[in-house]
């Protein structure tokens, strides 16, 4: 799996409230509409300016806060290729894999806003095409790659008729 796009840079501790603003709770049953507001509390221009296939790049502890599946779901619905961060909140990480959103754990310090990136999941590297550097990534377990390749946990279960992930 190779993905290419532009980096949108965020800091540490981006919470699920930054991702899916709590004041828009009334939109929770209309996820495509909520996706139009993704990350607007962290960057008011992100949702309207990002292009399908771009990357969210953040520091540590991305997705902290509640266990709402809305946060990774609206990131995916907005068209983000993947989220790259130094670390992820555990429940956000699991929710993202379950809905088929790729998360890449790597050192994001040398990625700037606007850098063109290529993420090669199989090779385990982020190529920063702008800076001509490579950043190694923490590999995902094979079972998670399988779930991601099949579009998320529900798609995997529908395809295989159960929870056999081996």
């Amino acid at each position: 799996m190779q993905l290419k796009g532009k980096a949108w840079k965020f800091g540490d501790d981006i919470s699920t409230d930054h991702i899916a603003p709590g004041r828009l709770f009334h939109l929770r049953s209309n996820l495509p509409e909520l996706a139009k507001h993704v990350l607007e509390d962290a960057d008011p221009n992100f949702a309207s300016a990002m292009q399908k296939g771009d990357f969210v790049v953040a520091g540590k502890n991305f997705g902290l806060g509640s266990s709402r599946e809305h946060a990774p779901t609206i990131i995916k619905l907005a068209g983000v290729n993947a989220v790259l961060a130094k670390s992820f909140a555990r429940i956000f990480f699991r929710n993202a894999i379950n809905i088929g959103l790729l998360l890449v754990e790597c050192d994001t310090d040398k990625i700037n806003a606007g850098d063109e990136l290529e993420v090669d999941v199989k090779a385990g590297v982020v190529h920063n095409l702008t800076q001509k550097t490579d950043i190694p990534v923490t590999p995902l377990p094979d079972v998670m790659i399988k779930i991601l390749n099949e579009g998320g946990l529900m798609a995997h279960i529908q395809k295989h008729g159960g929870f056999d992930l081996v």
Side-chain angles (χ1 to χ4, degrees), residues 61-80:
N61 204 23
F62 187 88
L64 77 143
S66 76
S67 61
R68 294 180 293 175
E69 293 94 3
H70 296 75
T73 301
I74 67 170
I75 291 172
K76 185 176 179 181
L77 285 174
V80 171

Side-chain angles (χ1 to χ4, degrees), residues 31 67-78 80-81 83 91-103 144 147-156:
L31 294 178
S67 61
R68 294 180 293 175
E69 293 94 3
H70 296 75
T73 301
I74 67 170
I75 291 172
K76 185 176 179 181
L77 285 174
V80 171
N81 252 339
V83 179
I91 191 70
F92 180 88
F93 185 89
R94 192 64 226 177
N95 285 338
I97 299 298
N98 286 347
I99 61 103
L101 174 64
L102 176 62
L103 301 182
M144 289 186 183
I147 290 169
L148 287 165
N149 285 336
E150 293 177 352
L153 187 59
M154 289 305 296
H156 174 82

